[in-house]
Amino acid sequence: MRRSTLVILCLFSLGLLEMNVCVVFPKAPSTAKIMFGTYRGENRELYLMNPDGSEQVNITNNRADDISGRWSPTGEQILFASDRDRGEGWDLYLMDTDGKNVQPVFEKSEDRRHPEWSPDGKQIAYMRTVGGVGYVYIATSDGKNEERFAIGGSPAWSPEGNELAFVVRVAPDRLNIYLLNVRTRKQKHFFPPDDISTAREPAWSPNGTKLAFMWHQKRPQDEGEIYTLNRDGTGLQEFVNHPEEGVTAPVWDPDGKALIYSQEVGKWEIHVFKIMLADGPSERLTDVGLWNNPGDWFDPAYALPVSPQLQLLPTVWGELKRK
């Protein structure tokens, strides 16, 4: 009798534990979503929308500026940069996909921005400004350990997780793209090949074979175009060219068949370009606000599988015992 009662109590406790754990876990979107920054009032906010531009929803709703939103590899969290709550500078924050449960990544505030997740979700890369100089840092995703790796900014993690593409200021008016091996810390110049033009905003293709980027072929003040280049430096190809309008911020879709980017048509709007239809027109996704800038494109079909968060179990069990 006593043993039966104990078994029933154990099963009941496990049931309660399972329910509590389900409540704690954040949820990833069940359909593909594009995250973007936009200026539609007094500050910049983060929004979500469907890949066709429909159902645009504000997920930050804060008086601060919130930009550079990035999906975690599982789609359960969003990493972003904001100037809220921590003095006058920028820093990095995490939130659930509905904009709730906003928390700073680091205990001590510093000037951090341009965040990127590692493919396994265990680390983040970002630019941290120290003494007026921008450096590429890598930290654990819980913010407990961070380390300086190179001078530069705007890091983009390769899909394999072994390289970072980042931007280096090689002259007061010129930016170049470099590649950093995160294991050996060796870095090499990637693009452009000359000492006159400037390139920035690198974005890896989902299969890791190409980089998309913005290239100013003359001066940074000139309007740039979006190009792709193979990882080995061959196959330079122009994809988006609007000589009378600026284009910036290329972002790949998760299957590598399209690029979204921001284009100035009186104001900055987000467009999508189908790579498989190289001669076809682009499609505008936004038409509200003075500034719209794509951040990241998430599709659950290409997401990292969600693993159980076992570190939450002792906390939940403690809460049950107190009840």
Side-chain angles (χ1 to χ4, degrees):
M1 179 66 180
R2 183 174 299 174
R3 179 176 297 178
S4 300
T5 303
L6 181 60
V7 171
I8 293 172
L9 287 174
C10 289
L11 291 174
F12 179 72
S13 298
L14 286 173
L16 288 177
L17 179 59
E18 184 178 354
M19 287 188 292
N20 275 267
V21 169
C22 290
V23 171
V24 171
F25 288 169
K27 293 182 179 180
S30 58
T31 60
K33 294 289 181 182
I34 293 174
M35 180 161 30
F36 65 102
T38 183
Y39 183 86
R40 301 185 177 185
E42 298 180 353
N43 62 307
R44 289 175 288 180
E45 300 273 13
L46 290 177
Y47 274 62
L48 300 183
M49 65 178 170
N50 294 328
D52 62 0
S54 63
E55 297 184 18
Q56 297 182 18
V57 179
N58 183 353
I59 58 171
T60 45
N61 291 293
N62 191 281
R63 291 183 294 179
D65 279 320
D66 301 314
I67 59 173
S68 303
R70 300 291 186 268
W71 296 102
S72 67
T74 62
E76 295 174 298
Q77 288 184 302
I78 293 171
L79 177 67
F80 67 103
S82 178
D83 60 358
R84 64 175 71 190
D85 300 333
R86 315 204 79 182
E88 298 180 356
W90 292 84
D91 211 343
L92 305 184
Y93 293 78
L94 284 169
M95 64 179 172
D96 296 342
T97 55
D98 57 4
K100 298 179 180 179
N101 193 30
V102 178
Q103 300 289 336
V105 176
F106 300 92
E107 290 185 3
K108 182 180 178 182
S109 179
E110 300 288 351
D111 186 350
R112 304 178 181 94
R113 56 186 85 187
H114 306 304
E116 288 285 345
W117 293 90
S118 65
D120 61 6
K122 296 179 179 180
Q123 294 176 297
I124 57 174
Y126 51 94
M127 185 185 80
R128 175 175 163 182
T129 302
V130 181
V133 179
Y135 296 92
V136 173
Y137 272 70
I138 294 178
T140 52
S141 57
D142 59 9
K144 293 182 178 179
N145 299 287
E146 64 174 337
E147 190 174 358
R148 182 188 298 181
F149 273 71
I151 294 177
S154 301
W157 223 305
S158 68
E160 304 91 344
N162 61 341
E163 281 187 297
L164 283 174
F166 65 106
V167 174
V168 177
R169 187 172 296 279
V170 297
D173 61 347
R174 291 200 305 276
L175 300 170
N176 283 186
I177 297 174
Y178 277 66
L179 297 181
L180 169 71
N181 186 307
V182 298
R183 296 184 178 90
T184 65
R185 296 179 179 250
K186 291 182 179 180
Q187 52 183 287
K188 62 181 179 181
H189 177 260
F190 180 72
F191 193 85
D194 56 56
D195 59 356
I196 300 174
S197 62
T198 191
R200 56 190 177 94
E201 299 174 339
W204 290 95
S205 64
N207 62 10
T209 62
K210 296 177 181 291
L211 274 167
F213 53 89
M214 180 183 178
W215 183 21
H216 301 274
Q217 296 192 45
K218 295 181 180 180
R219 300 182 305 275
Q221 293 79 12
D222 296 333
E223 303 297 355
E225 295 87 38
I226 292 177
Y227 285 76
T228 63
L229 188 65
N230 293 334
R231 191 175 194 152
D232 62 3
T234 64
L236 181 66
Q237 185 175 2
E238 181 183 78
F239 271 100
V240 182
N241 181 6
H242 297 279
E244 299 179 357
E245 303 164 344
V247 289
T248 185
V251 173
W252 295 85
D253 77 330
D255 64 4
K257 295 181 179 179
L259 282 169
I260 52 175
Y261 58 92
S262 183
Q263 177 181 333
E264 187 177 18
V265 282
K267 53 186 179 179
W268 290 97
E269 302 288 3
I270 297 174
H271 292 245
V272 59
F273 177 82
K274 302 292 186 181
I275 292 176
M276 305 304 291
L277 302 174
D279 297 327
S282 64
E283 178 185 351
R284 185 188 297 188
L285 301 182
T286 61
D287 59 4
V288 179
L290 298 177
W291 174 84
N292 294 276
N293 197 68
D296 205 1
W297 191 330
F298 175 79
D299 190 328
Y302 298 91
L304 187 71
V306 177
S307 58
Q309 303 183 42
L310 297 179
Q311 72 276 11
L312 295 177
L313 296 181
T315 300
V316 175
W317 178 241
E319 293 176 354
L320 284 173
K321 288 199 295 184
R322 285 195 298 270
K323 294 177 181 180

